[in-house]
Amino acid sequence: MINRSGRFARRAVKVDQALDKIMQHAKRLDDEIVSIDSCIYRRIAKPVYARESMPHFRRSGMDGYAVLSEDAACATPQEPVCLKIIDEVPAGSVSARQVVPGTAIRLMTGAAVPDGADAVVMFEQTEEFQADGQDCVRIKHRTVHGQNITAIGEEIAEGQLLMGAGTRIGPGQVALLASSGYSQIAVIRRPKVGILTTGSELLAPGDPLLPGKVRNSNVFMLAAQIEQYGGAAVRYGTVPDEIEEVDRMIRAALEECDMVLVSGGVSVGDYDVMAEFFTATNGSGLELLFNKIAMRPGSPTTAAAVKDKLVFGLSGNPGACFIGFELLVRPALLAMQGAENPFPSRLRAAMAHDFDKGCPHERYIRGRLSYDANQKLSVCALKQNNSSMLVSIQDANCLIVVPSGSTGAASGQQVDVIPLPYETATYGEEGDVR
Amino acid sequence: MINRSGRFARRAVKVDQALDKIMQHAKRLDDEIVSIDSCIYRRIAKPVYARESMPHFRRSGMDGYAVLSEDAACATPQEPVCLKIIDEVPAGSVSARQVVPGTAIRLMTGAAVPDGADAVVMFEQTEEFQADGQDCVRIKHRTVHGQNITAIGEEIAEGQLLMGAGTRIGPGQVALLASSGYSQIAVIRRPKVGILTTGSELLAPGDPLLPGKVRNSNVFMLAAQIEQYGGAAVRYGTVPDEIEEVDRMIRAALEECDMVLVSGGVSVGDYDVMAEFFTATNGSGLELLFNKIAMRPGSPTTAAAVKDKLVFGLSGNPGACFIGFELLVRPALLAMQGAENPFPSRLRAAMAHDFDKGCPHERYIRGRLSYDANQKLSVCALKQNNSSMLVSIQDANCLIVVPSGSTGAASGQQVDVIPLPYETATYGEEGDVR
């Protein structure tokens, strides 16, 4: 008989306690310099300040005429004011002339407003004509000081904070960096995350199906989750159910990676080598953080620190593996990239139906958030939510948190939900539950 | 005097009309086959059906003992039922033995339940012992038919639709494809999108700042937006303000790309060569779709079809360029990738403050959605929302739609909002407006 003593003696920690322990070892990674051409989705290493005012000259907001506002303060279509056109300024150029009373300079949107002028009149409010071979313009509307001129520094003042450390670079951020003269940007290195799977039952997607065997899906799912949160996944394949080989492969992966995830083998089964790996603490430099969490699914989820790098033992069950990643690995990955708030936000939503939890433990249920008829958030638990089932993961846009102690949640009851990244950053219309 | 006749004579179409015209030319692209290792964020070319049932054998949901439920129907801790252990099955293996009355087979989570057995009792409800050299187990809890067994096809039936054409592959989808035996997947080709910028005022981010010049930020912003919606950006640099050169470069880009975006030069200024390009229809194969839209910002946004490929003339103003992309280019890009619904969803939210629109036209305002104290959606217009200003783009998680005719929106008024992709698929807490 195989000795399983001690396996049931695991002490469960709460999810928050597990996270606390993990975050103590989720250290921010080093900086690296990248070109602005390849910085999308990276995170800023240190606060970025404006090197220049924006605009750095008085900028015209319109195609039109730069004038002295006093000249045309009372202009109307019936009584237009006539001015001599003394120059033309395309965007990017600067006029050598100065606007003086009775004159105007033609200029384009974005051009520098010439000295002397204090207003720009848009083309649509003007009419050109010639008088004695001189190009002139009729101003047909009242003109006020500062009109259609963006003042120096009006958008951004030199020295102003543009974005804080840890900010993720999206379209708005990269535009701001470019316009502020950053051709290279200090970002935080992407965490390299090794993935190993355990289990002699695992087949590759292309293998012929054999009795009792199943295809390995967790490695693909985890790689996608890692990418989604800014990491770079490194696949180490499936390890045999032998502790020596598991130990060797995990330590080799740790040499190359910043974090290692192992799916499967963490439960109390006879072949659960990860349980064995995590308890073999004899001089191995491994510090077990926890090996049981008071939650369903994923209660045997385990984590350790090995020389200050995190090793996670995630469930082999796809549903539990997915949720273990979202709850525990995601915050660590984001903290390693310097995210200001690495923890998932929580929203409150009304249950759209009764939900029987089926166990007294805190449960995390794959769900789908949408807006009800009153534009309030409502959430459905997806069908096929068992820990061993993966089919509903694709439809989940949130995890529903059903607290411990209760038997479930009644229709209309307010529950916490943790939003998941979804195709578009929104929730479908009412009833949008597949 | 430069001839500008006809430039103000543009006929404005509504946003919906503009979209209609665009979508007629946004044809779905070809399929290509990719490995499951590199299919993340791609879109499925045709519906995917299950080739196999899942599970394809009766699967144990627990580490425990496969038994006949009748044997242990009345077992209790006080009156356990004793069974002989006749075999052990790790996950991935199949027992050659059959469970008959009085016997049990030890098995692991995910293993095939042996013939004869109709229930699995988890280890935690059992106790092993030896009697006359025979390994035995005490079942200490009531056992019912089917307990802890996942039936064949319970999660997925063979032939079942797994995901529709156009579905974007995320963690849940890739896991499902892998577990269903797809090592290669037919996806829709990524649209190649060329980006050109016009304007002699443009500097690169690393150039020294010169009077009257500004740095080109739109090319970086557009490249990021293209990536965000699944396209592959190709940069063609800045074209001079000369119609021949613009024409040559756009046509060269169209040879290599599926769509071309040009930023700048679409307005009524003297150097707005894009306006000229779009009206030069003499035998060039160019079909102008529209060159004015009844909206602010971005009213001169222009689109044409050239040999059934779309060319967009977006505003050179960063705010207008960003919004023009989100409203008009995004749906086209998604349609080219076969997305089931390429149009952005709209939500309703209450304005958190008064907003003076400043013009009678339909306006699209960069905003920030959050939940108010009653968990209803509330939206703030961001400061520095002018079309020429880009600093607020980074903070926007939605566009607020303020309809035409009105003077603005009052605090508490319900408005339409178009969510934007944001760092996490959610909206911040109340007051989370930077």
Side-chain angles (χ1 to χ4, degrees), chain A residues 4 37 43 52 56 106 128 155 213 215 235 270 371 375 384 390-391 414 423 425 427, chain B residues 4 37 43 52 56 106 128 155 213 215 235 270 371 375 384 390-391 394 414 423 425 427:
Chain A
R4 295 188 284 109
D37 293 325
R43 285 180 186 271
E52 305 147 359
H56 64 103
R106 182 178 176 91
E128 295 89 356
E155 181 171 0
K213 306 270 186 191
R215 302 186 192 284
R235 300 176 199 175
D270 298 347
Y371 289 95
Q375 297 158 42
Q384 299 185 294
L390 65 84
V391 70
Q414 293 287 319
E423 172 155 356
Y427 308 117
Chain B
R4 296 188 281 110
D37 293 324
R43 285 179 186 271
E52 304 147 359
H56 64 105
R106 181 179 177 91
E128 296 88 357
E155 182 170 0
K213 306 271 186 189
R215 301 185 191 287
R235 299 176 200 176
D270 297 347
Y371 290 95
Q375 296 159 42
Q384 299 184 297
L390 66 84
V391 69
Q394 64 169 341
Q414 293 286 319
E423 171 154 357
Y427 308 116

Side-chain angles (χ1 to χ4, degrees), chain B residues 3 6 13 38-39 51 54 64 95 99-100 103 105 111 114 122 127 146 151 202 228 247 252 305 384 408 424 428:
Chain B
N3 175 18
V13 297
S38 53
C39 69
R51 293 170 173 173
M54 205 159 88
S95 178
V99 175
V100 294
T103 69
I105 291 179
M122 64 198 288
E127 194 177 81
L202 295 181
Q228 216 163 28
D247 191 86
Q384 299 184 297
T424 53

Side-chain angles (χ1 to χ4, degrees), chain A residues 1 36 50 69 83 139 144 146 161 169 185 194 203 209 242 370 406:
Chain A
M1 183 106 335
I36 192 161
S69 60
L83 302 171
I139 309 295
V144 297
L161 178 67
I169 303 175
I185 298 127
L203 299 173
L209 205 56
E242 289 161 22
S370 57
S406 66

Side-chain angles (χ1 to χ4, degrees), chain B residues 79-328:
Chain B
E79 293 189 52
V81 171
C82 296
L83 303 171
K84 280 185 195 167
I85 303 172
I86 59 169
D87 201 4
E88 284 194 19
V89 194
S93 295
V94 178
S95 178
R97 304 288 302 273
Q98 183 158 353
V99 175
V100 294
T103 69
I105 291 179
R106 181 179 177 91
L107 81 182
M108 299 303 123
T109 304
V113 176
D115 289 347
D118 72 337
V120 171
V121 185
M122 64 198 288
F123 280 159
E124 290 83 340
Q125 300 180 347
T126 68
E127 194 177 81
E128 296 88 357
F129 66 102
Q130 287 209 324
D132 303 331
Q134 166 70 50
D135 287 330
C136 297
V137 61
R138 280 189 198 94
I139 309 294
K140 301 190 291 184
H141 287 266
R142 296 181 56 228
T143 303
V144 298
H145 175 77
Q147 158 186 316
N148 294 324
I149 296 177
T150 306
I152 291 171
E154 186 173 324
E155 182 170 0
I156 295 168
E158 193 182 326
Q160 177 185 324
L161 177 68
L162 296 179
M163 56 196 87
T167 301
R168 186 164 179 257
I169 303 175
Q173 286 83 4
V174 74
L176 194 51
L177 290 166
S179 67
S180 307
Y182 288 88
S183 58
Q184 298 198 306
I185 298 127
V187 296
I188 298 159
R189 194 162 58 73
R190 290 180 71 185
K192 275 178 81 175
V193 184
I195 311 173
L196 292 87
T197 39
T198 72
S200 47
E201 76 277 24
L202 295 181
L203 299 173
D207 289 345
L209 204 55
L210 295 172
K213 306 271 186 189
V214 294
R215 301 185 191 287
N216 185 349
S217 56
N218 286 357
V219 63
F220 299 101
M221 182 176 73
L222 288 171
Q225 288 178 289
I226 291 164
E227 291 282 329
Q228 216 163 28
Y229 295 108
V234 185
R235 299 176 200 176
Y236 289 93
T238 297
V239 298
D241 287 335
E242 289 161 22
I243 180 65
E244 292 78 16
E245 190 57 9
V246 166
D247 191 86
R248 193 193 62 73
M249 285 182 74
I250 291 176
R251 289 178 192 279
L254 278 168
E255 290 295 316
E256 299 175 328
C257 296
D258 302 300
M259 181 196 280
V260 169
L261 311 182
V262 189
S263 143
V266 285
S267 195
V268 294
D270 297 347
Y271 302 86
D272 288 340
V273 284
M274 284 305 295
E276 201 171 340
F277 170 82
F278 280 117
T279 48
T281 54
N282 46 330
S284 61
L286 181 147
E287 179 195 349
L288 181 67
L289 303 179
F290 54 83
N291 61 4
K292 190 170 184 180
I293 306 182
M295 68 173 190
R296 294 289 184 282
S299 68
T301 302
T302 301
V306 181
K307 296 176 191 160
D308 223 40
K309 289 181 179 176
L310 286 163
V311 180
F312 286 90
L314 299 170
S315 171
N317 272 332
C321 182
F322 178 81
I323 287 168
F325 184 99
E326 293 294 329
L327 293 181
L328 302 170

Side-chain angles (χ1 to χ4, degrees), chain A residues 236-395:
Chain A
Y236 289 93
T238 297
V239 298
D241 287 335
E242 289 161 22
I243 180 65
E244 293 76 16
E245 192 56 10
V246 166
D247 191 87
R248 192 193 63 73
M249 285 182 72
I250 291 177
R251 288 177 193 280
L254 278 169
E255 290 293 316
E256 297 175 332
C257 295
D258 303 299
M259 181 197 280
V260 169
L261 310 182
V262 189
S263 145
V266 286
S267 194
V268 296
D270 298 347
Y271 302 86
D272 288 340
V273 284
M274 283 305 295
E276 200 171 340
F277 169 83
F278 280 117
T279 47
T281 53
N282 46 330
S284 60
L286 182 147
E287 179 195 349
L288 181 67
L289 302 179
F290 54 83
N291 61 4
K292 190 172 185 181
I293 307 182
M295 68 173 190
R296 294 287 184 282
S299 67
T301 303
T302 301
V306 181
K307 294 177 191 159
D308 224 40
K309 291 182 178 174
L310 287 163
V311 180
F312 287 89
L314 299 170
S315 171
N317 272 332
C321 183
F322 178 81
I323 288 168
F325 184 100
E326 293 294 330
L327 292 182
L328 302 169
V329 182
R330 163 182 167 174
L333 262 185
L334 293 178
M336 289 163 80
Q337 294 168 82
E340 200 187 354
N341 179 12
F343 300 104
S345 58
R346 290 194 175 202
L347 301 172
R348 298 283 287 172
M351 283 299 294
H353 53 78
D354 290 338
F355 180 76
D356 176 12
K357 193 155 58 121
C359 76
H361 302 281
E362 184 171 65
R363 260 196 85 178
Y364 292 83
I365 310 293
R366 285 161 258 173
R368 200 154 165 91
L369 273 176
S370 57
Y371 289 95
D372 66 15
N374 298 316
Q375 297 158 42
K376 295 192 82 166
L377 275 176
S378 156
V379 66
C380 289
L382 292 166
K383 288 177 185 165
Q384 299 185 294
N385 230 309
N386 283 359
S387 132
S388 66
M389 292 184 170
L390 65 84
V391 70
S392 65
I393 296 173
Q394 66 171 340
D395 294 326

Side-chain angles (χ1 to χ4, degrees), chain A residues 24-60:
Chain A
Q24 285 169 27
H25 296 276
K27 300 288 181 232
R28 216 205 79 164
L29 299 179
D30 305 332
D31 302 354
E32 63 184 4
I33 305 292
V34 294
S35 160
I36 192 161
D37 293 325
S38 54
C39 69
I40 290 296
Y41 301 148
R42 302 298 298 272
R43 285 180 186 271
I44 300 281
K46 37 194 162 229
V48 173
Y49 297 93
R51 293 170 172 172
E52 305 147 359
S53 294
M54 205 159 88
H56 64 103
F57 52 85
R58 295 191 306 147
R59 186 174 66 196
S60 174

